[in-house]
Amino acid sequence: MSGTAEIHDATLTPTKLELLAGWLPKQEWFFGDPDDLMRVAAYRFVDPDGEVGIETILVRSKGVTYQVPLTYRPEALAEASDSLVGTMDHSVLGTRYVYDAVGDPVYLVELMRVIHEGDTEADLSRGEKSMTVLGSGIVPVSNAAGESMRVVRVLDGAHVPGGRPPLGVLTGTWTDENGEQEQTLVILR
């Protein structure tokens, strides 16, 4: 287990969905309508240093579910300016810089660890878990420095890349109006 993520009873301005409604239409992999975004599920990891919030939100638009990993930081991350989703005011923590997590090294390191170790999502301090994830674990290989990860953004079963067998995967399970869903979320090659 990735630890326990501290969840505050806070007001966010703008809300996460409002922030995503402005950002998602600019992403080449998003074909939905930002006016009908709906939160489906979410999971969290914990930054070992306790500085960065790490959350992945599943949203639906026009019947398609999208995976959006985010990080929340107290200060701007200069080397990830291209990944900035926006800022929001958190009534407990103050201004939060919100990043597309695939551009944030804290997320990438923790994601790699979860897959390598066969770990799961973090527990939540307030207990409301809406999905589970599980890293497959991997057998150590001599070219580990050459590993690459692919986050699957469109969760329709057709967007999981094929090719050579992966070294490891992150699989998610959640329930929506169509019943229980299980999908590959990340592929490590």
Side-chain angles (χ1 to χ4, degrees):
M1 185 239 338
S2 294
T4 300
E6 178 73 28
I7 307 298
H8 299 276
D9 186 14
T11 301
L12 303 175
T13 309
T15 67
K16 294 172 188 177
L17 283 180
E18 289 168 341
L19 199 61
L20 290 176
W23 180 78
L24 282 169
K26 300 172 191 164
Q27 308 313 305
E28 64 183 27
W29 44 265
F30 181 75
F31 302 101
D33 180 350
D35 293 330
D36 80 343
L37 276 184
M38 176 180 124
R39 183 183 176 118
V40 175
Y43 64 93
R44 287 188 176 255
F45 294 142
V46 174
D47 170 15
D49 294 331
E51 293 295 319
V52 179
I54 305 171
E55 178 180 33
T56 298
I57 301 173
L58 304 188
V59 295
R60 177 171 295 121
S61 178
K62 290 188 172 184
V64 177
T65 302
Y66 298 90
Q67 178 180 207
V68 186
L70 300 170
T71 54
Y72 309 108
R73 292 178 161 270
E75 297 178 3
L77 182 62
E79 64 267 26
S81 60
D82 290 348
S83 298
L84 183 66
V85 174
T87 59
M88 68 172 128
D89 182 54
H90 187 287
S91 62
V92 175
L93 301 173
T95 300
R96 306 306 283 172
Y97 293 81
V98 181
Y99 289 91
D100 176 11
V102 297
D104 191 319
V106 170
Y107 168 75
L108 296 174
V109 167
E110 184 60 11
L111 177 59
M112 181 84 70
R113 185 198 66 75
V114 169
I115 293 172
H116 271 254
E117 295 179 9
D119 204 354
T120 65
E121 76 285 351
D123 283 338
L124 304 178
S125 63
R126 292 176 39 192
E128 66 260 352
K129 194 175 284 194
S130 61
M131 71 180 290
T132 60
V133 298
L134 177 63
S136 61
I138 69 164
V139 176
V141 294
S142 61
N143 67 341
E147 293 176 1
S148 65
M149 284 187 290
R150 166 89 187 273
V151 173
V152 180
R153 298 290 197 155
V154 182
L155 300 178
D156 62 1
H159 284 80
V160 176
R164 65 186 166 122
L167 296 173
V169 296
L170 182 72
T171 304
T173 305
W174 68 95
T175 302
D176 62 19
E177 71 272 2
N178 298 316
E180 186 171 282
Q181 305 295 322
E182 182 174 298
Q183 296 251 349
T184 298
L185 303 175
V186 181
I187 296 173
L188 179 65
R189 289 208 157 99

